[in-house]
Amino acid sequence: MADSETPPPPSPRSSGTSPLMDDVIAGVVPEAADADPRRRNRKILIRLCWVVVSSLVLFLTAKGTEWLLSVYNAQVASDAEDKVDRQGPAFSASVRADTDSLEATLFDKPFSAEEKRLLIGPRKDIAPYRAAHHGRGVFFTDVWNESMGVETRGYAQAWMVDVFSDRRATLVINGMRMKGLECVPAKATTVIIHPDGLIHNYAGVLFDTARPDTLLIADAEHYGEPYFKHSTIDLGNGATPRGLRIQVTSGTQDCTWKAFEVTYVDSDGTHTQDITNNGKGFAVRGIAEKQKQVFDVSESEIAECAPKPPTSRPCDYKY
């Protein structure tokens, strides 16, 4: 009878999954199609692992490439900024002549008898004499010692020099010299001495035209020794600007020079840069070996001294 017939065995496709799922697996992961569920699941797991690993490798590769590109771009940008940073002068310098509290005035020609009569006597303002006779205001040189065997310490002119740099990179000034120095015998034969005890807050340094390649210390410590033997000037990278009061003494000569040539060091090596007198050169006056007139301004009077360092009052200063 038909009712007692035994039903057919189930198809292998229906074991463990639905026909629809088997079709999806066969379409998406054909290599995982298998009648055995365990083998099929293992194949699917392996396939998924490969997909995950491949995706992770691709992600890491993309991120690594992005990082390398960012590092490269940052280096390129930094190199470009460094190139721009190094363009132009390494530092700037403002220069002005120091004319405050002058200590003496030099004149090329001696005063006449009538001019002497008006000058000598009770103390008076010598500015009109300086203007009328083209006098040059000077200072006494800071570096002087009796052991040098000289009777007078001589005269100097001074410039206030401020140096600063807006570079990001650090640079170090470690040398300075007088560039293009030329000298002739001094013309000044007359001097009016009017000392003042002004104290400057700038680092005091001095050039003697007899030693144009050596900047000397004019402060109490290491007095008269080479400045760059004990100190350097650090600029750039936000360093504070530095100020120098540079005296120049020429003894018995009148001298001119083109610039102060500065030597500095940075990461690219050693370089030089000039400091000019606002685009011009410098000049300093000395006193002739044979002086004709010397006048001394004391607290109460103006007196005439011998034309060489005096040994008795009222002109007993050894300048």
Side-chain angles (χ1 to χ4, degrees):
M1 295 176 52
D3 294 338
S4 61
E5 291 181 0
T6 303
S11 170
R13 183 176 179 179
S14 63
S15 301
T17 59
S18 66
L20 179 59
M21 180 59 69
D22 290 341
D23 291 339
V24 171
I25 292 174
V28 176
V29 193
E31 64 272 23
D34 197 302
D36 188 330
R38 287 178 298 178
R39 289 198 300 268
R40 181 175 63 241
N41 291 340
R42 185 168 59 251
K43 291 180 180 179
I44 292 174
L45 180 60
I46 293 173
R47 175 67 174 176
L48 290 176
C49 288
W50 274 110
V51 170
V52 171
V53 171
S54 300
S55 299
L56 182 59
V57 170
L58 289 174
F59 173 79
L60 292 177
T61 301
K63 286 298 181 181
T65 302
E66 181 181 350
W67 179 79
L68 290 174
L69 287 174
S70 66
V71 171
Y72 173 77
N73 291 335
Q75 184 62 48
V76 170
S78 178
D79 291 344
E81 290 178 358
D82 287 342
K83 184 176 180 180
V84 172
D85 188 46
R86 296 180 187 277
Q87 290 178 348
F91 60 88
S92 300
S94 65
V95 179
R96 68 184 188 280
D98 183 4
T99 57
D100 294 332
S101 300
L102 298 168
E103 297 173 305
T105 301
L106 306 179
F107 301 88
D108 289 351
K109 298 179 179 180
F111 292 115
S112 66
E114 178 62 19
E115 290 167 339
K116 284 174 55 176
R117 186 185 66 81
L118 295 174
L119 177 63
I120 295 173
R123 179 169 179 167
K124 57 187 69 66
D125 184 10
I126 68 167
Y129 291 87
R130 181 186 297 130
H133 296 275
H134 308 289
R136 178 69 68 91
V138 294
F139 301 91
F140 302 129
T141 60
D142 277 344
V143 177
W144 174 80
N145 192 293
E146 291 181 355
S147 65
M148 296 171 64
V150 296
E151 294 182 280
T152 62
R153 61 194 295 184
Y155 303 106
Q157 290 172 242
W159 288 266
M160 314 298 275
V161 179
D162 293 291
V163 289
F164 53 94
S165 176
D166 58 4
R167 281 191 175 184
R168 297 186 309 159
T170 300
L171 61 99
V172 179
I173 294 177
N174 60 4
M176 187 182 296
R177 61 183 289 269
M178 301 175 73
K179 180 179 180 180
L181 178 67
E182 296 182 355
C183 297
V184 298
K187 295 179 180 179
T189 60
T190 298
V191 58
I192 299 178
I193 298 169
H194 42 88
D196 189 7
L198 179 67
I199 298 176
H200 296 275
N201 58 3
Y202 275 58
V205 291
L206 172 86
F207 272 113
D208 184 342
T209 55
R211 302 168 62 187
D213 295 331
T214 305
L215 185 64
L216 303 175
I217 298 173
D219 288 334
E221 189 175 8
H222 305 300
Y223 207 66
E225 297 182 24
Y227 176 78
F228 289 107
K229 176 182 178 182
H230 300 280
S231 181
T232 58
I233 299 175
D234 300 331
L235 299 175
N237 193 27
T240 303
R242 293 287 297 276
L244 298 173
R245 181 176 184 264
I246 304 177
Q247 289 188 61
V248 180
T249 183
S250 58
T252 58
Q253 295 182 309
D254 293 339
C255 298
T256 61
W257 65 101
K258 295 179 180 179
F260 294 114
E261 184 181 76
V262 172
T263 301
Y264 69 92
V265 178
D266 62 14
S267 59
D268 288 336
T270 301
H271 317 271
T272 61
Q273 182 176 317
D274 290 348
I275 296 178
T276 66
N277 189 10
N278 299 301
K280 301 179 181 179
F282 296 86
V284 64
R285 297 280 298 277
I287 187 74
E289 289 188 22
K290 295 183 179 180
Q291 302 175 34
K292 294 183 177 180
Q293 293 176 344
V294 179
F295 301 92
D296 175 63
V297 180
S298 66
E299 293 183 0
S300 59
E301 64 177 338
I302 298 177
E304 184 177 9
C305 312
K308 66 179 183 178
T311 57
S312 61
R313 293 195 66 87
C315 303
D316 60 349
Y317 304 102
K318 286 192 175 183
Y319 298 115

